[in-house]
Structure formats: C-alpha cells, structure tokens
Amino acid sequence: MPDDLVYPVPMHTFFRKDLTLRAGTTKDRGRVLRLAQRYLREHPSILDAYVTTGCR
C-alpha cells in the first residue's frame, strides 16, 4: 500500500537523465509476498540494503 496517494516527480530531471519509470500492481499479493520472503531467507545478506527496518 502506498504511503501517499500522489508522488510528485521532477520531470525535467527525470527526462534529462533519460530515466524510465515503471509501475504496476499484483493481483496475487499474498503469493508474491511469500515468494519475496522465501527469497530473502535464501539471501539474508541483502536485507540491510533492500529492506527497511519497518518491514522486517
């Protein structure tokens, strides 16, 4: 669930850096979260780099 309903993006900077924005949702959130949890258990060294303390 997003923290905010709107996320402003500095478009000039975005396009100048030739960035690509991708977004989407999943229809099977529970399954995807279980896969993510399993992946994190198999790769614990990435936890600090990718997961905030509020999500553990």
Side-chain angles (χ1 to χ4, degrees):
M1 192 69 176
D3 294 330
D4 296 314
L5 294 176
V6 176
Y7 288 91
V9 176
M11 296 306 286
H12 180 71
T13 303
F14 187 83
F15 286 119
R16 193 180 67 208
K17 293 183 179 236
D18 197 26
L19 299 175
T20 301
L21 176 64
R22 297 184 70 185
T25 62
T26 179
K27 294 179 182 177
D28 192 359
R29 186 173 172 86
R31 181 185 65 81
V32 173
L33 288 173
R34 285 188 297 278
L35 288 171
Q37 186 178 42
R38 186 175 76 197
Y39 185 84
L40 288 173
R41 284 188 181 133
E42 293 170 358
H43 302 89
S45 63
I46 68 169
L47 279 172
D48 289 334
Y50 289 96
V51 180
T52 63
T53 41
C55 293
R56 285 195 208 170

